[in-house]
Amino acid sequence: MSVHKKIPKKVTTHVLQKMKNDGEKISMLTAYDYSMARIIGDAGVDIILVGDSASNVMAGYETTLPITLDDMIYHASSVVRAVRLAGTRPLVVGDLPFGTYQGNTRKALRSAIRMMKEAGAHAVKLEGGKEVEDSISRILTAGVPVMGHLGLIPQSIFKFGTYTVRAKEDAEAEKLLEDALLLEKIGCFAIVLEKIPALLAKKVAETVKIPIIGIGAGPHVDGQVLVTHDMLGITKDFHPRFLRRYLNLYDDIKGAVNQYIADVKSGDFPNEKEQY
Ligand code: KIV
């Protein structure tokens, strides 16, 4: 009998491309800390995104704009440690936060290198198309894989004014398709499409050859991503149509904490077996 532990095949950008070519859907979830990354890595997710949604979910800011590169590196390094120590398969993608890559290719390259070197991420993600072409191209010169992000791009919330569905009008839909083709041409390995009509997402996924990961972009794409805290029901006041809640952990955790408080107050905890 073999005593060797089975080593899972690591997900790389090449594996993701093969998954698209073979018609195998890609699963992606967010994590910002060691414990959550252990669970979702052990469960077998393909990609862990250390999203700048940490700004909302972890830090309680209203938008994703305030989170810093230092914050993101802290979160990403915790996630990378979980994947490394447990030997799990996911590709870890670190979001570059607002202000760390736009309009300055040198700064973009420095930010991406910090994410790779200090956090140990396997790739970076950043938002936008033509406007950030030069930054993406410069990052790619360092051999850092880049995931694009089009459609609803939360770092530009003050430009658009709302978080409603993007690219419903022809002009915006055409620009989105052009941007997707551009991101593919310059060398992105995948693109996230957020909150756009399902038929447009289908067209993009059929037109570009790299994997398209959707969130609120319908089923005809190459993979799906959700914010883990939303799909587990840890966050409570966020109910977009695209969100499927698999658990209601907010209520479960609150109930457990209520019980703990009651047990402490009544003297029921700790009991005889729970002491030395
Ligand atoms: O920051 C994030 O979590 C994201 C996903 C919603 C795609 O960008």
Side-chain angles (χ1 to χ4, degrees), residues 193-267:
L193 289 185
E194 181 164 354
K195 225 173 171 186
I196 63 165
L199 282 181
L200 175 60
K202 179 173 191 277
K203 189 168 176 190
V204 175
E206 286 170 356
T207 306
V208 304
K209 293 186 179 56
I210 55 175
I212 299 296
I213 317 281
I215 173 164
H220 312 291
V221 287
D222 307 304
Q224 299 291 331
V225 55
L226 284 175
V227 169
T228 302
H229 287 65
D230 295 336
M231 62 85 92
L232 294 180
I234 297 174
T235 50
K236 206 174 164 54
D237 305 317
F238 183 59
H239 308 282
R241 188 197 296 188
F242 66 76
L243 176 61
R244 184 178 294 182
R245 280 201 200 282
Y246 288 82
L247 288 173
N248 278 305
L249 280 188
Y250 181 96
D251 292 331
D252 290 349
I253 293 172
K254 188 162 167 252
V257 172
N258 286 151
Q259 188 60 53
Y260 168 75
I261 294 168
D263 290 350
V264 170
K265 302 270 180 199
S266 69

Side-chain angles (χ1 to χ4, degrees), residues 30 49 51-53 95 125 149 192 215 225 227:
T30 58
L49 172 65
D52 62 353
S53 49
D95 247 347
K125 176 168 84 59
H149 185 157
V192 168
I215 173 164
V225 55
V227 169

Side-chain angles (χ1 to χ4, degrees), residues 31-33 50-52 54 67-81 92 94-97 100 110-121 124:
Y32 321 108
D33 67 281
V50 187
D52 62 353
I67 200 160
T68 66
L69 185 57
D70 284 342
D71 294 335
M72 289 303 298
I73 287 171
Y74 164 75
H75 288 298
S77 63
S78 309
V79 168
V80 168
R81 267 194 298 282
V92 179
D95 247 347
L96 293 186
T100 66
R110 200 177 323 125
S111 305
I113 287 179
R114 283 197 63 200
M115 181 56 81
M116 302 294 283
K117 213 177 168 89
E118 295 175 38
V124 300

Side-chain angles (χ1 to χ4, degrees), residues 102-227:
Q102 296 96 335
N104 184 334
T105 62
R106 202 181 151 88
K107 190 169 181 182
L109 179 60
R110 200 177 323 125
S111 305
I113 287 179
R114 283 197 63 200
M115 181 56 81
M116 302 294 283
K117 213 177 168 89
E118 295 175 38
H122 307 141
V124 300
K125 176 168 84 59
L126 50 84
E127 297 181 5
K130 181 90 189 120
E131 321 76 47
V132 290
E133 176 184 0
D134 292 345
S135 294
I136 294 177
S137 297
R138 184 104 187 238
I139 293 170
L140 288 165
T141 63
V144 175
V146 177
M147 176 181 272
H149 185 157
L150 300 171
L152 175 63
I153 45 175
Q155 291 179 15
S156 301
I157 182 59
F158 291 107
K159 176 174 169 192
F160 296 111
T162 76
Y163 288 103
T164 53
V165 182
R166 306 296 320 169
K168 286 209 292 201
E169 308 301 328
D170 287 352
E172 198 183 337
E174 267 166 40
K175 173 165 171 16
L176 189 141
L177 183 56
E178 276 167 23
D179 278 342
L181 284 162
L182 176 71
L183 295 185
E184 172 180 49
K185 186 168 149 226
I186 62 179
C188 287
F189 74 89
I191 302 171
V192 168
L193 289 185
E194 181 164 354
K195 225 173 171 186
I196 63 165
L199 282 181
L200 175 60
K202 179 173 191 277
K203 189 168 176 190
V204 175
E206 286 170 356
T207 306
V208 304
K209 293 186 179 56
I210 55 175
I212 299 296
I213 317 281
I215 173 164
H220 312 291
V221 287
D222 307 304
Q224 299 291 331
V225 55
L226 284 175
V227 169

